[in-house]
């Protein structure tokens, strides 16, 4: 099961008793905060750590046309769950 932004916004608004627009703003602010601090680890106690990871330049391929192109290096964010979060989920 995967969750999209709409699902997360619904969960925030129903459990925290926020309106949908406030929940949307909260989620967008959180995502923006992580993106702006993409060169630092962001640790949330008893939840996990967001770790920036630089992906290297690589060759991509369109599966339909088999045309190759260069994918530029970029910074991605990895998430490592804390042991507390892992015990709740398992």
């Amino acid at each position: 099961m995967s969750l999209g932004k709409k699902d997360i916004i619904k969960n925030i608004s129903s459990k925290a008793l926020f309106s949908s627009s406030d929940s949307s703003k909260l989620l967008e602010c959180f995502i923006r905060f992580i993106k702006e601090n993409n060169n630092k680890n962001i640790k949330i106690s008893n939840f996990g750590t967001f770790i920036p990871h630089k992906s290297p330049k690589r060759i991509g391929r369109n599966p339909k046309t088999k045309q190759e192109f260069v994918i530029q290096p970029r910074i991605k964010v990895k998430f490592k769950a804390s042991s507390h979060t892992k015990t709740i989920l398992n």
Side-chain angles (χ1 to χ4, degrees):
M1 179 177 124
S2 62
L3 291 174
K5 280 186 180 181
K6 289 181 182 180
D7 300 322
I8 295 170
I9 290 169
K10 279 185 198 175
N11 284 333
I12 291 171
S13 63
S14 67
K15 294 183 181 179
L17 303 176
F18 289 156
S19 67
S20 291
S21 62
D22 289 342
S23 299
S24 176
K25 288 176 188 175
L26 177 72
L27 181 61
E28 290 300 326
C29 287
F30 180 71
I31 292 170
R32 190 176 328 114
F33 176 77
I34 290 173
K35 284 182 180 179
E36 289 171 355
N37 293 296
N38 62 2
N39 57 354
K40 302 176 196 165
N41 290 354
I42 299 171
K43 182 179 179 186
I44 301 173
S45 296
N46 293 329
F47 183 67
T49 306
F50 294 91
I51 304 164
H53 169 72
K54 185 175 181 180
S55 67
K57 179 177 165 180
R58 60 192 170 96
I59 302 291
R61 189 175 298 114
N62 182 335
K64 193 171 188 178
T65 63
K66 308 292 186 212
Q67 181 182 5
E68 292 185 347
F69 56 94
V70 176
I71 299 173
Q72 296 300 319
R74 62 184 72 186
I75 296 177
K76 298 179 179 181
V77 178
K78 292 184 176 182
F79 176 72
K80 182 174 181 183
S82 70
S83 59
H84 183 263
T85 303
K86 287 180 184 177
T87 55
I88 291 171
L89 294 175
N90 292 329

